[in-house]
CSV table of all heavy atoms in Angstrom, one decimal:
chain,number,residue,atom,x,y,z
A,36,MET,N,27.3,12.5,-30.9
A,36,MET,CA,27.3,11.0,-31.0
A,36,MET,C,27.3,10.5,-29.5
A,36,MET,O,27.8,11.1,-28.6
A,36,MET,CB,28.6,10.5,-31.7
A,36,MET,CG,28.6,9.1,-31.9
A,36,MET,SD,29.9,8.6,-33.1
A,36,MET,CE,29.3,7.1,-33.6
A,37,THR,N,26.5,9.4,-29.4
A,37,THR,CA,26.3,8.8,-28.0
A,37,THR,C,27.4,7.8,-27.7
A,37,THR,O,27.8,7.0,-28.5
A,37,THR,CB,25.0,8.1,-28.0
A,37,THR,OG1,23.9,8.9,-28.4
A,37,THR,CG2,24.7,7.6,-26.6
A,38,SER,N,27.9,8.0,-26.5
A,38,SER,CA,29.0,7.1,-26.1
A,38,SER,C,28.5,5.7,-25.6
A,38,SER,O,27.3,5.6,-25.3
A,38,SER,CB,29.9,7.8,-25.0
A,38,SER,OG,29.1,7.8,-23.8
A,39,GLN,N,29.4,4.8,-25.6
A,39,GLN,CA,29.1,3.5,-25.1
A,39,GLN,C,28.5,3.5,-23.7
A,39,GLN,O,27.5,2.8,-23.4
A,39,GLN,CB,30.3,2.5,-25.2
A,39,GLN,CG,30.0,1.1,-24.9
A,39,GLN,CD,29.2,0.4,-26.0
A,39,GLN,OE1,29.1,0.9,-27.1
A,39,GLN,NE2,28.6,-0.7,-25.7
A,40,SER,N,29.1,4.3,-22.8
A,40,SER,CA,28.7,4.3,-21.4
A,40,SER,C,27.3,4.9,-21.3
A,40,SER,O,26.5,4.5,-20.4
A,40,SER,CB,29.7,5.1,-20.6
A,40,SER,OG,29.8,6.5,-21.0
A,41,GLU,N,27.0,5.9,-22.2
A,41,GLU,CA,25.6,6.5,-22.2
A,41,GLU,C,24.6,5.5,-22.6
A,41,GLU,O,23.5,5.4,-22.0
A,41,GLU,CB,25.5,7.7,-23.1
A,41,GLU,CG,26.3,8.9,-22.5
A,41,GLU,CD,26.3,10.1,-23.5
A,41,GLU,OE1,26.3,9.8,-24.7
A,41,GLU,OE2,26.4,11.2,-23.0
A,42,LEU,N,24.9,4.6,-23.6
A,42,LEU,CA,24.0,3.6,-24.0
A,42,LEU,C,23.8,2.6,-22.9
A,42,LEU,O,22.7,2.1,-22.7
A,42,LEU,CB,24.6,2.9,-25.3
A,42,LEU,CG,24.6,3.7,-26.6
A,42,LEU,CD1,25.3,3.0,-27.7
A,42,LEU,CD2,23.2,4.1,-27.0
A,43,ILE,N,24.8,2.2,-22.3
A,43,ILE,CA,24.7,1.2,-21.2
A,43,ILE,C,23.9,1.8,-20.1
A,43,ILE,O,23.0,1.1,-19.5
A,43,ILE,CB,26.1,0.8,-20.7
A,43,ILE,CG1,26.8,0.0,-21.8
A,43,ILE,CG2,26.0,0.0,-19.4
A,43,ILE,CD1,28.2,-0.4,-21.5
A,44,LEU,N,24.1,3.1,-19.7
A,44,LEU,CA,23.3,3.7,-18.7
A,44,LEU,C,21.8,3.7,-19.1
A,44,LEU,O,20.9,3.4,-18.3
A,44,LEU,CB,23.7,5.2,-18.5
A,44,LEU,CG,23.0,6.0,-17.4
A,44,LEU,CD1,23.1,5.3,-16.1
A,44,LEU,CD2,23.5,7.4,-17.4
A,45,GLU,N,21.5,4.0,-20.3
A,45,GLU,CA,20.1,4.0,-20.8
A,45,GLU,C,19.5,2.6,-20.8
A,45,GLU,O,18.3,2.5,-20.4
A,45,GLU,CB,20.0,4.6,-22.2
A,45,GLU,CG,20.1,6.1,-22.3
A,45,GLU,CD,19.0,6.9,-21.4
A,45,GLU,OE1,17.8,6.5,-21.6
A,45,GLU,OE2,19.4,7.7,-20.7
A,46,GLN,N,20.3,1.6,-21.2
A,46,GLN,CA,19.8,0.3,-21.1
A,46,GLN,C,19.5,-0.2,-19.7
A,46,GLN,O,18.5,-0.9,-19.4
A,46,GLN,CB,20.8,-0.7,-21.8
A,46,GLN,CG,20.9,-0.5,-23.3
A,46,GLN,CD,21.9,-1.4,-23.9
A,46,GLN,OE1,22.7,-2.0,-23.2
A,46,GLN,NE2,21.9,-1.4,-25.2
A,47,THR,N,20.4,0.2,-18.8
A,47,THR,CA,20.2,-0.1,-17.4
A,47,THR,C,18.9,0.6,-16.8
A,47,THR,O,18.1,-0.1,-16.1
A,47,THR,CB,21.4,0.4,-16.5
A,47,THR,OG1,22.6,-0.3,-17.1
A,47,THR,CG2,21.3,0.0,-15.1
A,48,LYS,N,18.7,1.8,-17.2
A,48,LYS,CA,17.5,2.5,-16.7
A,48,LYS,C,16.2,1.8,-17.3
A,48,LYS,O,15.3,1.6,-16.5
A,48,LYS,CB,17.5,4.0,-17.2
A,48,LYS,CG,18.4,4.9,-16.5
A,48,LYS,CD,18.4,6.3,-17.0
A,48,LYS,CE,19.3,7.2,-16.3
A,48,LYS,NZ,19.3,8.6,-16.9
A,49,LEU,N,16.3,1.4,-18.5
A,49,LEU,CA,15.1,0.7,-19.1
A,49,LEU,C,14.9,-0.6,-18.5
A,49,LEU,O,13.8,-1.0,-18.2
A,49,LEU,CB,15.4,0.6,-20.6
A,49,LEU,CG,14.3,-0.1,-21.4
A,49,LEU,CD1,12.9,0.7,-21.3
A,49,LEU,CD2,14.6,-0.2,-22.9
A,50,ALA,N,16.0,-1.3,-18.2
A,50,ALA,CA,15.9,-2.7,-17.6
A,50,ALA,C,15.3,-2.5,-16.2
A,50,ALA,O,14.4,-3.3,-15.8
A,50,ALA,CB,17.2,-3.3,-17.5
A,51,ASN,N,15.7,-1.5,-15.4
A,51,ASN,CA,15.2,-1.3,-14.1
A,51,ASN,C,13.7,-0.9,-14.2
A,51,ASN,O,12.9,-1.4,-13.3
A,51,ASN,CB,15.9,-0.2,-13.4
A,51,ASN,CG,17.3,-0.6,-13.0
A,51,ASN,OD1,17.6,-1.8,-12.9
A,51,ASN,ND2,18.2,0.3,-12.8
A,52,PHE,N,13.3,-0.1,-15.1
A,52,PHE,CA,11.9,0.3,-15.3
A,52,PHE,C,11.1,-0.9,-15.6
A,52,PHE,O,10.0,-1.1,-15.0
A,52,PHE,CB,11.8,1.3,-16.4
A,52,PHE,CG,10.4,1.8,-16.8
A,52,PHE,CD1,9.7,2.6,-15.9
A,52,PHE,CD2,9.8,1.3,-17.9
A,52,PHE,CE1,8.4,2.9,-16.2
A,52,PHE,CE2,8.5,1.7,-18.3
A,52,PHE,CZ,7.8,2.5,-17.4
A,53,LEU,N,11.5,-1.8,-16.6
A,53,LEU,CA,10.7,-2.9,-16.9
A,53,LEU,C,10.7,-3.9,-15.8
A,53,LEU,O,9.6,-4.6,-15.6
A,53,LEU,CB,11.4,-3.6,-18.2
A,53,LEU,CG,11.3,-2.8,-19.4
A,53,LEU,CD1,12.0,-3.5,-20.6
A,53,LEU,CD2,9.8,-2.5,-19.8
A,54,SER,N,11.7,-4.0,-15.0
A,54,SER,CA,11.7,-4.9,-13.8
A,54,SER,C,10.6,-4.4,-12.8
A,54,SER,O,9.9,-5.2,-12.2
A,54,SER,CB,13.0,-4.9,-13.1
A,54,SER,OG,14.0,-5.6,-14.0
A,55,ALA,N,10.6,-3.1,-12.6
A,55,ALA,CA,9.6,-2.5,-11.7
A,55,ALA,C,8.2,-2.8,-12.2
A,55,ALA,O,7.3,-3.1,-11.4
A,55,ALA,CB,9.8,-1.0,-11.6
A,56,ILE,N,8.0,-2.7,-13.5
A,56,ILE,CA,6.6,-3.0,-14.0
A,56,ILE,C,6.3,-4.5,-13.8
A,56,ILE,O,5.2,-4.8,-13.4
A,56,ILE,CB,6.6,-2.7,-15.5
A,56,ILE,CG1,6.6,-1.2,-15.7
A,56,ILE,CG2,5.3,-3.3,-16.2
A,56,ILE,CD1,6.7,-0.7,-17.2
A,57,ASP,N,7.3,-5.4,-14.0
A,57,ASP,CA,7.1,-6.8,-13.8
A,57,ASP,C,6.7,-7.1,-12.3
A,57,ASP,O,5.8,-7.8,-12.0
A,57,ASP,CB,8.3,-7.6,-14.1
A,57,ASP,CG,8.5,-7.8,-15.6
A,57,ASP,OD1,7.5,-7.6,-16.4
A,57,ASP,OD2,9.7,-8.1,-16.0
A,58,GLU,N,7.3,-6.4,-11.4
A,58,GLU,CA,7.0,-6.6,-10.0
A,58,GLU,C,5.6,-6.1,-9.7
A,58,GLU,O,4.9,-6.7,-8.9
A,58,GLU,CB,8.0,-5.8,-9.1
A,58,GLU,CG,9.4,-6.4,-9.1
A,58,GLU,CD,10.4,-5.6,-8.4
A,58,GLU,OE1,10.1,-4.6,-7.7
A,58,GLU,OE2,11.6,-5.8,-8.5
A,59,LYS,N,5.2,-5.0,-10.3
A,59,LYS,CA,3.9,-4.4,-10.1
A,59,LYS,C,2.8,-5.4,-10.6
A,59,LYS,O,1.8,-5.6,-10.0
A,59,LYS,CB,3.7,-3.1,-10.8
A,59,LYS,CG,2.4,-2.4,-10.5
A,59,LYS,CD,2.2,-2.0,-9.1
A,59,LYS,CE,1.0,-1.2,-8.9
A,59,LYS,NZ,0.7,-0.9,-7.5
A,60,ILE,N,3.1,-6.0,-11.8
A,60,ILE,CA,2.2,-7.0,-12.4
A,60,ILE,C,2.0,-8.2,-11.4
A,60,ILE,O,0.9,-8.7,-11.2
A,60,ILE,CB,2.7,-7.4,-13.8
A,60,ILE,CG1,2.5,-6.3,-14.8
A,60,ILE,CG2,2.0,-8.7,-14.2
A,60,ILE,CD1,3.2,-6.6,-16.1
A,61,VAL,N,3.1,-8.6,-10.8
A,61,VAL,CA,3.0,-9.8,-9.9
A,61,VAL,C,2.2,-9.4,-8.7
A,61,VAL,O,1.3,-10.1,-8.3
A,61,VAL,CB,4.4,-10.2,-9.5
A,61,VAL,CG1,4.3,-11.2,-8.3
A,61,VAL,CG2,5.2,-10.9,-10.6
A,62,LEU,N,2.4,-8.2,-8.1
A,62,LEU,CA,1.6,-7.7,-7.0
A,62,LEU,C,0.1,-7.6,-7.3
A,62,LEU,O,-0.7,-8.1,-6.5
A,62,LEU,CB,2.1,-6.4,-6.5
A,62,LEU,CG,3.5,-6.3,-5.8
A,62,LEU,CD1,3.9,-4.9,-5.5
A,62,LEU,CD2,3.4,-7.1,-4.5
A,63,VAL,N,-0.2,-7.1,-8.5
A,63,VAL,CA,-1.6,-6.9,-8.8
A,63,VAL,C,-2.2,-8.3,-9.1
A,63,VAL,O,-3.4,-8.5,-8.7
A,63,VAL,CB,-1.8,-6.0,-10.0
A,63,VAL,CG1,-3.2,-5.9,-10.6
A,63,VAL,CG2,-1.3,-4.5,-9.6
A,64,SER,N,-1.5,-9.2,-9.7
A,64,SER,CA,-2.0,-10.5,-10.0
A,64,SER,C,-2.3,-11.2,-8.7
A,64,SER,O,-3.3,-11.9,-8.5
A,64,SER,CB,-1.0,-11.3,-10.8
A,64,SER,OG,-0.8,-10.8,-12.0
A,65,ASN,N,-1.4,-11.0,-7.7
A,65,ASN,CA,-1.7,-11.6,-6.3
A,65,ASN,C,-2.9,-11.0,-5.7
A,65,ASN,O,-3.7,-11.7,-5.1
A,65,ASN,CB,-0.5,-11.5,-5.4
A,65,ASN,CG,0.7,-12.3,-5.9
A,65,ASN,OD1,0.5,-13.3,-6.6
A,65,ASN,ND2,1.9,-12.0,-5.4
A,66,GLN,N,-3.1,-9.7,-5.9
A,66,GLN,CA,-4.3,-9.1,-5.3
A,66,GLN,C,-5.5,-9.6,-6.0
A,66,GLN,O,-6.6,-9.8,-5.3
A,66,GLN,CB,-4.2,-7.5,-5.5
A,66,GLN,CG,-3.2,-6.9,-4.6
A,66,GLN,CD,-3.0,-5.4,-4.9
A,66,GLN,OE1,-3.3,-4.9,-6.0
A,66,GLN,NE2,-2.6,-4.6,-3.9
A,67,ILE,N,-5.5,-9.8,-7.3
A,67,ILE,CA,-6.6,-10.3,-8.0
A,67,ILE,C,-7.0,-11.7,-7.5
A,67,ILE,O,-8.1,-12.1,-7.2
A,67,ILE,CB,-6.4,-10.3,-9.5
A,67,ILE,CG1,-6.4,-8.9,-10.0
A,67,ILE,CG2,-7.4,-11.2,-10.2
A,67,ILE,CD1,-5.9,-8.8,-11.5
A,68,GLN,N,-6.0,-12.6,-7.3
A,68,GLN,CA,-6.2,-13.9,-6.9
A,68,GLN,C,-6.7,-13.9,-5.4
A,68,GLN,O,-7.7,-14.7,-5.2
A,68,GLN,CB,-4.9,-14.7,-6.9
A,68,GLN,CG,-5.0,-16.2,-6.5
A,68,GLN,CD,-3.7,-16.9,-6.6
A,68,GLN,OE1,-2.7,-16.4,-7.0
A,68,GLN,NE2,-3.8,-18.2,-6.2
A,69,ASP,N,-6.2,-13.1,-4.6
A,69,ASP,CA,-6.7,-13.0,-3.2
A,69,ASP,C,-8.2,-12.5,-3.2
A,69,ASP,O,-9.0,-13.0,-2.4
A,69,ASP,CB,-5.9,-12.0,-2.4
A,69,ASP,CG,-4.5,-12.5,-2.1
A,69,ASP,OD1,-4.3,-13.8,-2.3
A,69,ASP,OD2,-3.6,-11.7,-1.7
A,70,THR,N,-8.5,-11.6,-4.1
A,70,THR,CA,-9.9,-11.0,-4.1
A,70,THR,C,-10.8,-12.1,-4.7
A,70,THR,O,-12.0,-12.2,-4.2
A,70,THR,CB,-9.9,-9.8,-5.0
A,70,THR,OG1,-9.0,-8.8,-4.5
A,70,THR,CG2,-11.3,-9.2,-5.1
A,71,GLN,N,-10.4,-12.9,-5.6
A,71,GLN,CA,-11.2,-14.0,-6.2
A,71,GLN,C,-11.5,-15.0,-5.1
A,71,GLN,O,-12.6,-15.5,-5.0
A,71,GLN,CB,-10.6,-14.6,-7.4
A,71,GLN,CG,-10.6,-13.7,-8.6
A,71,GLN,CD,-9.8,-14.2,-9.8
A,71,GLN,OE1,-8.9,-15.0,-9.6
A,71,GLN,NE2,-10.2,-13.8,-11.0
A,72,GLU,N,-10.5,-15.4,-4.3
A,72,GLU,CA,-10.6,-16.3,-3.2
A,72,GLU,C,-11.6,-15.8,-2.2
A,72,GLU,O,-12.4,-16.5,-1.6
A,72,GLU,CB,-9.3,-16.7,-2.6
A,72,GLU,CG,-8.4,-17.5,-3.5
A,72,GLU,CD,-7.0,-17.7,-3.0
A,72,GLU,OE1,-6.7,-17.5,-1.8
A,72,GLU,OE2,-6.2,-18.2,-3.8
A,73,TYR,N,-11.5,-14.5,-1.9
A,73,TYR,CA,-12.4,-13.8,-0.9
A,73,TYR,C,-13.8,-13.9,-1.4
A,73,TYR,O,-14.7,-14.2,-0.7
A,73,TYR,CB,-11.9,-12.4,-0.7
A,73,TYR,CG,-12.7,-11.6,0.3
A,73,TYR,CD1,-12.7,-12.0,1.7
A,73,TYR,CD2,-13.5,-10.6,-0.1
A,73,TYR,CE1,-13.5,-11.3,2.6
A,73,TYR,CE2,-14.3,-9.9,0.9
A,73,TYR,CZ,-14.2,-10.2,2.2
A,73,TYR,OH,-15.0,-9.5,3.1
A,74,LYS,N,-14.0,-13.6,-2.7
A,74,LYS,CA,-15.3,-13.6,-3.3
A,74,LYS,C,-15.9,-15.0,-3.2
A,74,LYS,O,-17.1,-15.2,-2.8
A,74,LYS,CB,-15.2,-13.2,-4.7
A,74,LYS,CG,-16.5,-13.3,-5.5
A,74,LYS,CD,-16.4,-13.0,-7.0
A,74,LYS,CE,-17.6,-13.3,-7.8
A,74,LYS,NZ,-17.4,-13.1,-9.2
A,75,LYS,N,-15.1,-16.0,-3.5
A,75,LYS,CA,-15.5,-17.4,-3.4
A,75,LYS,C,-16.0,-17.8,-2.0
A,75,LYS,O,-17.0,-18.4,-1.8
A,75,LYS,CB,-14.4,-18.3,-3.9
A,75,LYS,CG,-14.8,-19.8,-3.9
A,75,LYS,CD,-13.6,-20.6,-4.4
A,75,LYS,CE,-13.9,-22.1,-4.3
A,75,LYS,NZ,-12.8,-22.9,-4.7
A,76,ALA,N,-15.2,-17.4,-1.0
A,76,ALA,CA,-15.6,-17.6,0.4
A,76,ALA,C,-16.9,-17.0,0.8
A,76,ALA,O,-17.7,-17.5,1.4
A,76,ALA,CB,-14.4,-17.2,1.3
A,77,LEU,N,-17.0,-15.7,0.3
A,77,LEU,CA,-18.3,-15.0,0.6
A,77,LEU,C,-19.5,-15.7,0.0
A,77,LEU,O,-20.5,-15.8,0.6
A,77,LEU,CB,-18.2,-13.6,0.2
A,77,LEU,CG,-17.3,-12.6,0.9
A,77,LEU,CD1,-17.3,-11.2,0.3
A,77,LEU,CD2,-17.8,-12.5,2.4
A,78,LEU,N,-19.3,-16.1,-1.3
A,78,LEU,CA,-20.4,-16.8,-1.9
A,78,LEU,C,-20.8,-18.1,-1.2
A,78,LEU,O,-22.0,-18.4,-1.1
A,78,LEU,CB,-20.1,-17.0,-3.4
A,78,LEU,CG,-20.1,-15.8,-4.3
A,78,LEU,CD1,-19.6,-16.1,-5.7
A,78,LEU,CD2,-21.5,-15.2,-4.4
A,79,GLN,N,-19.8,-18.8,-0.8
A,79,GLN,CA,-20.0,-20.1,-0.1
A,79,GLN,C,-20.8,-19.8,1.2
A,79,GLN,O,-21.7,-20.5,1.6
A,79,GLN,CB,-18.7,-20.8,0.2
A,79,GLN,CG,-18.1,-21.4,-1.0
A,79,GLN,CD,-16.7,-22.0,-0.7
A,79,GLN,OE1,-16.1,-21.7,0.3
A,79,GLN,NE2,-16.2,-22.9,-1.6
A,80,GLN,N,-20.4,-18.7,1.9
A,80,GLN,CA,-21.1,-18.4,3.2
A,80,GLN,C,-22.6,-18.0,2.9
A,80,GLN,O,-23.5,-18.4,3.6
A,80,GLN,CB,-20.5,-17.2,3.8
A,80,GLN,CG,-19.2,-17.6,4.5
A,80,GLN,CD,-18.5,-16.4,5.2
A,80,GLN,OE1,-19.0,-15.2,5.1
A,80,GLN,NE2,-17.5,-16.6,6.0
A,81,ILE,N,-22.8,-17.3,1.8
A,81,ILE,CA,-24.2,-16.9,1.4
A,81,ILE,C,-25.0,-18.1,1.1
A,81,ILE,O,-26.1,-18.3,1.6
A,81,ILE,CB,-24.2,-15.9,0.2
A,81,ILE,CG1,-23.6,-14.6,0.6
A,81,ILE,CG2,-25.6,-15.7,-0.4
A,81,ILE,CD1,-23.3,-13.6,-0.5
A,82,PHE,N,-24.5,-19.0,0.3
A,82,PHE,CA,-25.2,-20.2,-0.1
A,82,PHE,C,-25.4,-21.1,1.1
A,82,PHE,O,-26.5,-21.8,1.2
A,82,PHE,CB,-24.6,-20.9,-1.3
A,82,PHE,CG,-24.7,-20.2,-2.6
A,82,PHE,CD1,-23.6,-19.8,-3.3
A,82,PHE,CD2,-26.0,-19.8,-3.0
A,82,PHE,CE1,-23.7,-19.1,-4.5
A,82,PHE,CE2,-26.1,-19.1,-4.2
A,82,PHE,CZ,-25.0,-18.7,-4.9
A,83,LEU,N,-24.5,-21.2,2.0
A,83,LEU,CA,-24.6,-22.1,3.2
A,83,LEU,C,-25.7,-21.5,4.1
A,83,LEU,O,-26.5,-22.2,4.6
A,83,LEU,CB,-23.3,-22.2,3.9
A,83,LEU,CG,-22.3,-23.1,3.3
A,83,LEU,CD1,-21.0,-23.1,4.1
A,83,LEU,CD2,-22.8,-24.6,3.3
A,84,LYS,N,-25.8,-20.2,4.2
A,84,LYS,CA,-26.8,-19.6,5.0
A,84,LYS,C,-28.2,-19.8,4.4
A,84,LYS,O,-29.2,-20.1,5.1
A,84,LYS,CB,-26.6,-18.1,5.2
A,84,LYS,CG,-25.5,-17.8,6.2
A,84,LYS,CD,-25.2,-16.3,6.3
A,84,LYS,CE,-24.1,-16.0,7.2
A,84,LYS,NZ,-23.8,-14.5,7.4
A,85,LYS,N,-28.3,-19.7,3.1
A,85,LYS,CA,-29.6,-19.9,2.4
A,85,LYS,C,-30.0,-21.4,2.5
A,85,LYS,O,-31.1,-21.7,2.7
A,85,LYS,CB,-29.5,-19.5,0.9
A,85,LYS,CG,-29.5,-18.0,0.7
A,85,LYS,CD,-29.5,-17.6,-0.7
A,85,LYS,CE,-29.6,-16.1,-0.9
A,85,LYS,NZ,-29.6,-15.8,-2.3
A,86,TYR,N,-29.0,-22.3,2.4
A,86,TYR,CA,-29.3,-23.7,2.5
A,86,TYR,C,-29.8,-24.0,3.9
A,86,TYR,O,-30.8,-24.7,4.0
A,86,TYR,CB,-28.1,-24.5,2.1
A,86,TYR,CG,-28.3,-26.0,2.3
A,86,TYR,CD1,-29.0,-26.7,1.4
A,86,TYR,CD2,-27.8,-26.7,3.4
A,86,TYR,CE1,-29.3,-28.1,1.6
A,86,TYR,CE2,-28.0,-28.0,3.6
A,86,TYR,CZ,-28.7,-28.7,2.7
A,86,TYR,OH,-28.9,-30.1,2.9
A,87,ASN,N,-29.1,-23.5,4.9
A,87,ASN,CA,-29.5,-23.8,6.3
A,87,ASN,C,-30.8,-23.2,6.6
A,87,ASN,O,-31.6,-23.7,7.4
A,87,ASN,CB,-28.4,-23.3,7.2
A,87,ASN,CG,-27.1,-24.1,7.2
A,87,ASN,OD1,-27.2,-25.3,6.8
A,87,ASN,ND2,-26.0,-23.5,7.5
A,88,LYS,N,-31.1,-22.1,6.0
A,88,LYS,CA,-32.4,-21.4,6.3
A,88,LYS,C,-33.5,-22.1,5.6
A,88,LYS,O,-34.6,-22.3,6.1
A,88,LYS,CB,-32.3,-19.9,5.8
A,88,LYS,CG,-33.5,-19.1,6.2
A,88,LYS,CD,-33.3,-17.7,5.8
A,88,LYS,CE,-34.4,-16.8,6.2
A,88,LYS,NZ,-34.2,-15.4,5.8
A,89,PHE,N,-33.4,-22.5,4.3
A,89,PHE,CA,-34.4,-23.0,3.5
A,89,PHE,C,-34.3,-24.5,3.3
A,89,PHE,O,-35.3,-25.2,2.9
A,89,PHE,CB,-34.5,-22.4,2.1
A,89,PHE,CG,-34.8,-20.9,2.2
A,89,PHE,CD1,-33.8,-20.0,1.9
A,89,PHE,CD2,-36.0,-20.4,2.7
A,89,PHE,CE1,-34.1,-18.6,1.9
A,89,PHE,CE2,-36.3,-19.1,2.7
A,89,PHE,CZ,-35.3,-18.2,2.4
A,90,GLY,N,-33.2,-25.1,3.5
A,90,GLY,CA,-32.9,-26.5,3.1
A,90,GLY,C,-33.4,-27.5,4.2
A,90,GLY,O,-33.6,-28.6,3.9
A,91,LYS,N,-33.6,-27.0,5.4
A,91,LYS,CA,-34.0,-27.9,6.5
A,91,LYS,C,-35.5,-28.1,6.6
A,91,LYS,O,-36.3,-27.3,6.4
A,91,LYS,CB,-33.4,-27.4,7.8
A,91,LYS,CG,-31.9,-27.6,7.8
A,91,LYS,CD,-31.4,-27.3,9.2
A,91,LYS,CE,-29.9,-27.6,9.3
A,91,LYS,NZ,-29.3,-27.2,10.5
């Protein structure tokens, strides 16, 4: 039979694991957002160069 302290220990381990996953999700979400902003900036540069080259 499992003791109360063993159950609490397992719950604590599970909570720590899930917290680590949440932190990783936040980090990856931030990386995605940064990459999307970088892509947007690159596309703006490309279109500005094309506009300056052909638009004048």
Side-chain angles (χ1 to χ4, degrees):
M36 186 166 204
T37 306
S38 70
Q39 186 71 17
S40 61
E41 289 174 333
L42 290 174
I43 292 172
L44 180 61
E45 285 300 312
Q46 289 176 352
T47 302
K48 288 179 181 179
L49 182 58
N51 290 339
F52 176 73
L53 293 174
S54 292
I56 290 174
D57 285 340
E58 290 174 12
K59 184 66 175 178
I60 289 170
V61 168
L62 289 174
V63 172
S64 294
N65 289 340
Q66 289 175 333
I67 290 170
Q68 184 176 358
D69 291 345
T70 303
Q71 288 172 336
E72 290 174 11
Y73 181 69
K74 175 186 172 185
K75 181 179 175 182
L77 288 176
L78 289 172
Q79 287 175 342
Q80 286 180 351
I81 290 169
F82 288 124
L83 285 176
K84 285 181 183 178
K85 286 185 179 182
Y86 175 78
N87 288 335
K88 187 175 181 182
F89 298 112
K91 289 185 176 179

